[in-house]
């Protein structure tokens, strides 16, 4: 989705903003722009361009001559992912007010912009873009009476919808005003400089000290720091969070793509996710962030999981964990559906919101709905200080490190590990014996080594990828724990290779989709040596009988599947609940290498954004 970076300090703002925008490229965008205050001209200058940041940089070099290297020490920049109006230069942010004295970069959607625009047009304001954002720039100018903070607050009072904004004005050369409602804003506090951004990866190069705005906070930001108040001008204080992500973690580190790097980081991500949390002797786990006593855990009668996309599929694996290991009835809900239905939440329901970014709009709203209905709500997030992590106030961090690739990979494995740990803790408070708990904990300790063994299959996977890279359609099948993993495998393939892929329960195939099978439609079947294998082998035979090539993901040493497959990829033997991790790694590598053979832009697939902050 869109990205914002703003800078005020002693350095050349252009460099900080451009490098920040480059760090946000992974989120997906189709145009970009910067607005800078020129101390030489005492005015705002602006450069925007369609396409990649590189195009913006060459325009900046041409159009923004730097007077003395430090002409621009204040500015804002934006990467735009088009919603209202096509990706054109005129629609790119920042947007200027009529006088050119106020510039706004905005993430989110102003829902009542049509009514606001009509009113402003009647007053003589001329619009130069099709965006909803431009109304904000004009509104701020209209409300301005000498105080930028008050003008922004007054403009936002008139707005319905969501926003994360950064505003500068030529009348206030050392000031940025930022505000949020539904779209994240983080402010990095450096020494003599302050950076505002929609995502901490644009900040951590300069400082690890970050303040996150809450909804309806408005911040006045200078090189010396910031003050925050509510829209009603009541001062509020927000904690300073220390971010422990390093710069190296948000760079490619020798890999061709972030996605490949993150696939390979899974042993480490898993080691971090379980570190200090497995109590082998007691056969249980310790997850301090859930802040529930054993008695409170034992009182939970039902679990509802709400999430989107890959996090939803990890949640499906979680449903199996809670039922199998803890004997708890569990629903899994698409967050977008959950928030608009009238979900039944009893007092003894636990709502689990799973979100890598912690910023997915639908999952945030599911959390709020759960809280309104009195559920105990836990967040499972990767990004520290994200909206879901803060609003749930209790939960479990993945500690998987930053995930930059648009296609989620290491977050899925870490989510599965965290859900297994939660299920063990809930199981031990209910029906799980100490000795079974110990077996499960010992198996979870193997997660990093099991992930590493799956990664060793990469050369074989590459060969298979080359063989099937020209397919137009593919199926992914599985049953039991392998069913959600099949759905995730299909999602990975479609989003980065643009091959039409469908995930199905292995038994469902013959209830319709089998009609699509022929020799041009390969079928990837997750068939580890677990309960249900013989039934999945029957399904493989059904595919082969329709001439579809079958690619099996099978347990090392299990040669029975060879007879029913055209190709076999091996995963290490492990207990059923751990198997999703090696199998998904194989699917991720398969999707990656197929996409690479097809020449796809793997880290920035078309139409996709890393964090979906709109409905
Ligand atoms: C797929 C993918 C998306 C996200 C989904 C939820 O590879 O990345 O499907 O999983 O948008 O995002 P989070 O987990 O940040 O809520």
């Amino acid at each position: 989705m869109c990205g914002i970076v703003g800078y005020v300090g002693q350095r050349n703002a252009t460099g900080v903003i451009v490098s920040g925008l480059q760090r946000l490229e992974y989120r997906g965008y189709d145009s970009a722009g910067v607005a800078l205050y020129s101390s030489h001209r005492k005015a705002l200058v602006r450069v925007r361009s369609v396409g990649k940041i590189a195009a913006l940089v060459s325009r900046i070099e041409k159009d923004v001559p730097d007077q003395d290297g430090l002409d621009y020490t204040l500015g804002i920049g934006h990467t735009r992912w088009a919603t209202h109006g096509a990706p054109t230069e005129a629609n790119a942010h920042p947007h200027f007010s009529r006088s050119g004295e106020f510039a706004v970069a905005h993430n989110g959607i102003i829902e009542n912009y049509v009514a606001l625009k009509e009113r402003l047009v009647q007053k003589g304001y001329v619009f130069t873009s099709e965006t909803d954002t431009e109304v904000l720039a004009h509104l701020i100018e209209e409300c301005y009476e000498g105080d930028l903070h008050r003008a922004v607050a007054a403009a936002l009072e008139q707005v319905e919808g969501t926003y994360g904004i950064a505003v500068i004005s030529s009348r206030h050369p050392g000031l940025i005003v930022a505000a949020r409602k539904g779209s994240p804003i983080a402010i990095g506090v450096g020494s003599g400089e302050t950076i505002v951004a929609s995502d901490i990866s644009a900040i951590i190069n300069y400082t690890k000290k970050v303040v996150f705005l809450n909804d309806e906070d408005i911040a006045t930001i200078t090189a010396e720091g910031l003050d925050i108040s509510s829209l009603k001008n009541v001062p509020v204080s927000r904690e300073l969070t220390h971010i422990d992500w390093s710069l190296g973690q948000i760079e490619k580190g020798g890999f061709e793509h972030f996605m490949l790097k993150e696939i390979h980081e899974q042993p480490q991500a898993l080691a971090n996710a379980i570190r200090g949390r497995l109590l082998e002797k007691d056969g249980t786990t310790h997850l301090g962030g859930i802040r529930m006593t054993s008695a409170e855990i034992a009182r939970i009668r039902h679990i509802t999981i709400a999430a989107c996309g890959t996090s939803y599929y990890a949640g499906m694996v979680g449903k199996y964990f809670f039922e199998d290991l803890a004997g708890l009835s569990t629903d899994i809900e698409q967050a977008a559906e959950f928030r608009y239905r009238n979900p039944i939440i009893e007092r003894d329901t636990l709502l689990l919101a799973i979100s890598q970014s912690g910023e997915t709009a639908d999952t945030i709203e599911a959390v709020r709905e759960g809280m309104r209905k009195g559920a105990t709500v836990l967040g499972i997030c990767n990004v520290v200080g994200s909206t879901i992590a803060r609003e749930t106030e209790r939960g479990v961090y993945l500690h998987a490190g930053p995930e930059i690739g648009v296609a989620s990979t290491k977050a899925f494995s870490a989510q599965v590990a965290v859900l297994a740990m939660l299920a063990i803790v809930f199981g031990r408070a209910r029906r799980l014996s100490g000795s079974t708990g110990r077996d499960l904990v010992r198996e979870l300790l193997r997660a990093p080594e099991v992930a590493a063994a799956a990664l060793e299959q990469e050369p074989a996977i590459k060969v298979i990828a080359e063989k099937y890279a020209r397919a137009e359609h593919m199926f992914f099948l599985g049953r039991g724990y392998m069913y959600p993993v099949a759905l995730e495998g299909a999602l990975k393939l479609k989003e980065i290779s643009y091959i039409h892929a469908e995930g199905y329960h292995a038994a469902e195939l013959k209830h319709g989709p089998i009609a699509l099978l022929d020799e041009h439609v390969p079928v990837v079947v997750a068939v580890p040596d677990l309960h249900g294998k013989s039934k999945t082998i029957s399904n493989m035979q059904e595919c082969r009988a329709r001439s579809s090539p079958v690619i099996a993901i099978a347990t090392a040493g299990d040669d029975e599947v060879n007879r029913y497959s055209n190709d076999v990829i091996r995963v290490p033997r492990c207990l059923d609940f751990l198997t999703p991790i090696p199998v998904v790694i194989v699917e991720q590598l398969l999707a990656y290498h197929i996409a690479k053979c097809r020449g796809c832009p793997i880290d920035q697939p078309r139409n996709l954004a890393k964090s979906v902050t709109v409905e």
Side-chain angles (χ1 to χ4, degrees):
M1 295 268 115
C2 309
I4 293 175
V5 186
Y7 178 84
V8 53
Q10 272 78 49
R11 299 178 209 238
N12 184 340
T14 325
V16 179
I17 293 168
V18 166
S19 77
L21 293 179
Q22 278 161 339
R23 300 249 180 245
L24 301 187
E25 280 194 293
Y26 76 95
R27 299 169 63 94
Y29 69 105
D30 36 45
S31 55
V34 294
L36 303 158
Y37 175 73
S38 162
S39 46
H40 179 76
R41 290 188 230 171
K42 309 236 173 315
L44 298 182
V45 293
R46 175 174 65 173
V47 182
R48 299 175 293 172
S49 97
V50 174
K52 296 291 170 199
I53 304 290
L56 178 72
V57 170
S58 30
R59 291 286 298 277
I60 291 175
E61 281 162 4
K62 198 157 73 49
D63 297 348
V64 189
D66 198 349
Q67 303 297 330
D68 57 6
L70 286 177
D71 188 12
Y72 311 104
T73 52
L74 170 76
I76 54 175
H78 190 262
T79 46
R80 174 172 186 256
W81 189 80
T83 56
H84 294 62
T88 60
E89 188 174 324
N91 287 334
H93 301 212
H95 286 285
F96 273 1
S97 65
R98 176 168 59 181
S99 64
E101 290 181 344
F102 300 87
V104 180
H106 165 230
N107 291 352
I109 292 176
I110 308 297
E111 286 164 5
N112 60 337
Y113 86 101
V114 175
L116 292 170
K117 187 169 176 173
E118 276 166 11
R119 188 173 65 67
L120 288 162
V121 167
Q122 274 165 16
K123 289 189 167 177
Y125 284 85
V126 177
F127 280 73
T128 57
S129 79
E130 301 158 271
T131 66
D132 51 335
T133 302
E134 196 182 347
V135 297
L136 261 181
H138 296 312
L139 271 181
I140 291 167
E141 179 166 310
E142 191 190 45
C143 297
Y144 183 75
E145 289 173 351
D147 180 335
L148 185 59
H149 173 106
R150 298 304 295 273
V152 173
L156 292 176
E157 290 280 12
Q158 302 175 50
V159 151
E160 287 162 23
T162 55
Y163 53 79
I165 55 166
V167 182
I168 57 171
S169 167
S170 54
R171 307 236 190 157
H172 300 270
L175 188 64
I176 303 175
V177 174
R180 81 156 266 171
K181 185 178 173 195
S183 225
I185 290 286
I187 301 162
V189 183
S191 148
E193 60 184 354
T194 313
I195 301 121
V196 54
S198 52
D199 181 324
I200 52 174
S201 38
I203 296 177
I204 60 171
N205 195 16
Y206 304 97
T207 175
K208 299 283 169 58
K209 289 189 284 180
V210 174
V211 175
F212 295 96
L213 295 191
N214 280 5
D215 275 354
E216 305 203 357
D217 281 356
I218 171 161
T220 307
I221 299 162
T222 63
E224 280 67 52
L226 69 154
D227 289 311
I228 308 176
S229 66
S230 68
L231 284 185
K232 303 271 180 236
N233 211 16
V234 179
V236 290
S237 74
R238 302 285 171 227
E239 264 176 41
L240 200 66
T241 304
H242 183 85
I243 305 296
D244 60 7
W245 288 359
S246 70
L247 200 57
Q249 282 178 300
I250 58 166
E251 287 173 346
K252 283 192 204 145
F255 285 90
E256 194 175 344
H257 295 99
F258 280 112
M259 183 184 179
L260 188 62
K261 174 179 177 243
E262 287 157 10
I263 291 173
H264 280 269
E265 281 173 347
Q266 286 176 102
Q268 191 56 50
L270 286 161
N272 293 344
I274 61 177
R275 181 168 301 120
R277 290 169 162 178
L278 299 180
L279 308 178
E280 195 177 345
K281 194 160 71 56
D282 300 328
T284 189
T285 64
H286 173 72
L287 299 164
I290 65 176
R291 297 199 279 111
M292 291 172 80
T293 62
S294 300
E296 284 168 326
I297 289 173
R299 271 200 293 276
I300 296 295
R301 289 271 166 278
H302 181 76
I303 295 187
T304 296
I305 301 174
C308 302
T310 290
S311 296
Y312 174 84
Y313 296 137
M316 271 179 89
V317 177
K319 169 182 160 72
Y320 291 38
F321 289 160
F322 288 113
E323 290 173 354
D324 285 357
L325 310 180
L328 272 166
S329 78
T330 305
D331 289 327
I332 166 84
E333 302 253 9
Q334 264 148 6
E337 194 56 21
F338 177 88
R339 62 181 285 199
Y340 285 116
R341 284 196 300 110
N342 190 10
I344 311 293
I345 305 239
E346 308 287 358
R347 264 207 307 275
D348 47 15
T349 296
L350 174 75
L351 175 66
L352 280 184
I354 309 178
S355 173
Q356 186 283 128
S357 62
E359 300 296 350
T360 299
D362 286 319
T363 314
I364 293 172
E365 284 307 323
V367 164
R368 291 175 182 160
E369 182 62 15
M371 285 181 156
R372 277 191 285 269
K373 289 204 151 83
T376 303
V377 185
L378 292 185
I380 300 181
C381 299
N382 192 35
V383 179
V384 173
S386 56
T387 303
I388 292 176
R390 285 179 297 124
E391 291 201 10
T392 52
E393 289 176 0
R394 49 169 116 184
V396 189
Y397 278 121
L398 303 181
H399 297 312
E403 192 179 68
I404 309 287
V406 166
S408 189
T409 53
K410 62 179 177 174
F412 179 90
S413 321
Q415 284 163 341
V416 167
V418 163
L419 286 161
M421 288 189 284
L422 264 176
I424 292 171
V425 115
F426 275 75
R428 291 289 282 122
R430 302 167 70 82
R431 67 171 196 185
L432 205 62
S433 71
S435 98
T436 311
R438 276 186 287 279
D439 290 345
L440 295 171
V441 166
R442 275 188 216 113
E443 187 70 352
L444 255 183
L445 278 166
R446 289 183 61 221
E449 126 203 356
V450 162
L455 289 169
E456 282 168 17
Q457 299 304 307
E458 188 169 10
I461 295 170
K462 231 168 133 177
V463 173
I464 295 170
E466 278 158 19
K467 191 163 156 191
Y468 297 107
R470 295 293 138 214
E472 290 302 323
H473 310 275
M474 267 169 102
F475 277 87
F476 284 71
L477 305 183
R479 61 176 64 227
Y481 281 109
M482 294 301 106
Y483 171 42
V485 175
L487 300 178
E488 171 60 8
L491 176 64
K492 271 316 68 101
L493 185 71
K494 71 184 107 178
E495 64 186 329
I496 59 162
S497 74
Y498 314 146
I499 292 176
H500 168 226
E502 302 255 14
Y504 268 94
H505 191 282
E508 268 294 303
L509 196 70
K510 53 188 166 299
H511 296 287
I514 200 165
L516 297 172
L517 295 192
D518 64 23
E519 69 275 24
H520 304 297
V521 183
V523 183
V524 179
V525 187
V527 58
D529 191 12
L530 300 172
H531 179 69
K533 183 184 95 174
S534 57
K535 292 189 195 310
T536 305
I537 285 184
S538 303
N539 305 129
M540 290 160 73
Q541 287 173 290
E542 290 159 8
C543 298
R544 297 251 290 182
R546 274 83 193 169
S547 308
S548 278
V550 168
I551 304 151
I553 305 175
T555 307
D558 176 12
D559 291 333
E560 193 195 348
V561 293
N562 298 5
R563 230 168 322 142
Y564 310 103
S565 329
N566 298 62
D567 298 279
V568 185
I569 307 169
R570 300 294 174 181
V571 289
R573 186 170 290 279
C574 46
L575 290 186
D576 55 1
F577 83 102
L578 199 61
T579 320
I581 290 176
V583 174
V584 88
I585 289 174
V586 164
E587 292 176 341
Q588 293 164 355
L589 285 169
L590 188 63
Y592 174 84
H593 285 291
I594 289 180
K596 193 159 171 247
C597 288
R598 292 167 71 95
C600 297
I602 290 173
D603 280 334
Q604 286 158 32
R606 71 182 177 211
N607 306 339
L608 293 183
K610 180 65 184 159
S611 177
V612 184
T613 52
V614 293
E615 284 184 45

